[in-house]
Amino acid sequence: MPKRERQKPGSVTILDVAKHAGVSPMTASRVINGNPRVGQDLRERVQASVQALGYRPNLAGRSLRTAGTARIGVLYSNPSAAYLNELMLGILEQSSLAGTQVLVEKCGGIASQRAATERLLEAGVDGVILPPPLCDSPQTLRELDERGIPVVAVATGAPVEGVSSVRIDDYQGARTMTRHLLELGHVRIGFIQGDPAHTPAQLRRQAFLDTMAEAGIAVPEECLAVGMFTYRSGLGAARQLLELPQRPTAVFCSNDDMAAAAMAVAHGMGLRIPEALTIVGFDDTPMATTLWPELTTIRQPVTAMGKAAVSLMLEELRARRGGRHHDAVHQVMKHALVKRQSSAPAGA
């Protein structure tokens, strides 16, 4: 018999069992959940490790699955509270209509992501919704795939084969905004990019550069700043642009949080918006209408995307429970330019 190595109750995870038994997490999960497609030798090794470590599966999660009730996890590390609130509103509304339970876990770096993922799995989730930027995390997507857990990625700019997603066309959205600024007569336009690791941030930046190039306007490197989709990062990026000897007449921010920061910096410098400076954003979160002046932005239907993510997840879970194959669905929702008071013709 293996030496007993019991840990504090509740502290042992299925990853600990897999490591102790020398098998993959997927194999450990199959044994613990009674999947017959595991050899007797591997089954005995995992069972011995379960006993040695004192692992106890989450019975609440099992009873829910047995009863046919879906339990959906949401794993997030999004720095924008405004965006996340809108997304969760949609997720919770749709889940309530469908009688579905929602479990939410916050995480940070890779180690934190693994721990949060494990907590969701221990709680017995049937599927996981990944808001940005985790929708683009290869590690998280791979781990959930290995455990046989379906995923719906929200707002990814690069949908993955086999993983359903809901998003807008970020590239076209950024082109729409850039054209709006050009139509207002702006030529020297500053751009604040979001998290470079997030695919929509890359698409929005490329769309801005492509649209400017099509208009025959070269964008100086000094007019490009990088933020992380947070208000604080927007402060530094805005100062970088607005303290230039020849500052831009307009600043296109990759989300509303950074646009709010750019407005704060401009107000602090005594710049009138939009008379002296046009500032625009992206997302159209509730923040856009609480700023002064109200923000011109690209509307991303975040609440509707949350609802759609739940619907896509439930479709896949129903197919799986019925033993049917389910192809990944990539749903693209409409964006819109929302013109408010923060944008005006150049030199107005």
Side-chain angles (χ1 to χ4, degrees):
M1 289 289 291
K3 181 181 178 181
R4 297 181 71 81
E5 302 175 17
R6 292 184 180 271
Q7 302 178 25
K8 182 179 178 181
S11 66
V12 182
T13 69
I14 200 167
L15 293 178
D16 297 321
V17 172
K19 183 177 180 181
H20 187 272
V23 300
S24 70
M26 183 167 58
T27 296
S29 178
R30 285 174 174 168
V31 172
I32 292 168
N33 288 299
N35 190 313
R37 293 183 299 173
V38 181
Q40 186 62 28
D41 178 60
L42 290 179
R43 185 179 303 280
E44 291 176 355
R45 282 163 56 186
V46 172
Q47 290 171 340
S49 294
V50 166
Q51 184 179 3
L53 298 177
Y55 172 76
R56 287 181 291 185
N58 183 279
L59 298 179
R62 282 188 173 183
S63 65
L64 281 167
R65 287 194 294 272
T66 301
T69 303
R71 177 176 273 199
I72 298 175
V74 179
L75 183 63
Y76 79 94
S77 64
N78 195 295
S80 171
Y83 181 94
L84 189 65
N85 287 343
E86 288 293 290
L87 181 68
M88 287 306 304
L89 177 62
I91 289 174
L92 293 174
E93 284 184 358
Q94 191 66 25
S95 297
S96 178
L97 289 173
T100 301
Q101 291 192 328
V102 177
L103 288 81
V104 183
E105 285 286 349
K106 180 181 180 179
C107 62
I110 298 299
S112 175
Q113 289 176 28
R114 292 193 66 192
T117 300
E118 187 59 37
R119 288 193 295 272
L120 287 176
L121 296 176
E122 289 292 298
V125 297
D126 298 287
V128 175
I129 293 174
L130 293 179
L134 289 180
C135 58
D136 292 324
S137 169
Q139 297 87 354
T140 302
L141 289 169
R142 181 171 58 251
E143 183 170 346
L144 290 169
D145 180 62
E146 288 176 349
R147 307 287 282 276
I149 301 296
V151 168
V152 174
V154 177
T156 177
V160 176
E161 184 179 356
V163 176
S164 291
S165 65
V166 56
R167 60 188 178 91
I168 65 166
D169 190 328
D170 289 274
Y171 184 85
Q172 290 300 327
R175 282 177 67 84
T176 298
M177 181 59 81
T178 307
R179 289 186 184 122
H180 171 62
L181 296 175
L182 291 170
E183 288 168 0
L184 290 174
H186 294 282
V187 175
R188 188 168 172 81
I189 304 172
F191 183 82
I192 300 180
Q193 181 180 345
D195 182 353
H198 187 200
T199 50
Q202 301 166 18
L203 290 171
R204 294 172 194 178
R205 181 182 188 275
Q206 192 59 52
F208 168 72
L209 293 175
D210 290 348
T211 308
M212 293 291 281
E214 287 176 6
I217 301 171
V219 180
E221 192 66 30
E222 64 185 9
C223 286
L224 300 173
V226 178
M228 293 296 290
F229 285 127
T230 63
Y231 180 88
R232 184 170 295 277
S233 70
L235 293 173
R239 290 193 189 98
Q240 176 185 328
L241 297 176
L242 299 184
E243 291 177 355
L244 289 171
Q246 183 185 358
R247 67 170 175 263
T249 63
V251 177
F252 180 4
C253 306
S254 288
N255 77 341
D256 294 345
D257 291 62
M258 295 192 297
M263 280 192 176
V265 172
H267 289 318
M269 296 174 66
L271 298 173
R272 289 179 60 84
I273 304 169
E275 293 84 355
L277 177 69
T278 281
I279 294 178
V280 298
F282 204 109
D283 287 341
D284 196 30
T285 59
M287 176 184 294
T289 53
T290 60
L291 297 171
W292 177 77
E294 292 188 359
L295 185 67
T296 293
T297 187
I298 292 293
R299 175 172 294 155
Q300 180 172 198
V302 181
T303 299
M305 290 165 70
K307 293 179 179 180
V310 173
S311 296
L312 289 176
M313 177 62 71
L314 293 177
E315 287 176 11
E316 180 157 357
L317 292 177
R318 281 192 289 267
R320 289 190 176 207
R321 287 173 176 171
R324 302 187 306 274
H325 174 72
H326 184 272
D327 291 325
V329 176
H330 301 296
Q331 185 172 346
V332 181
M333 307 193 79
K334 292 182 179 180
H335 65 273
L337 171 64
V338 182
K339 300 178 185 179
R340 297 195 180 99
Q341 292 75 41
S342 71
S343 59

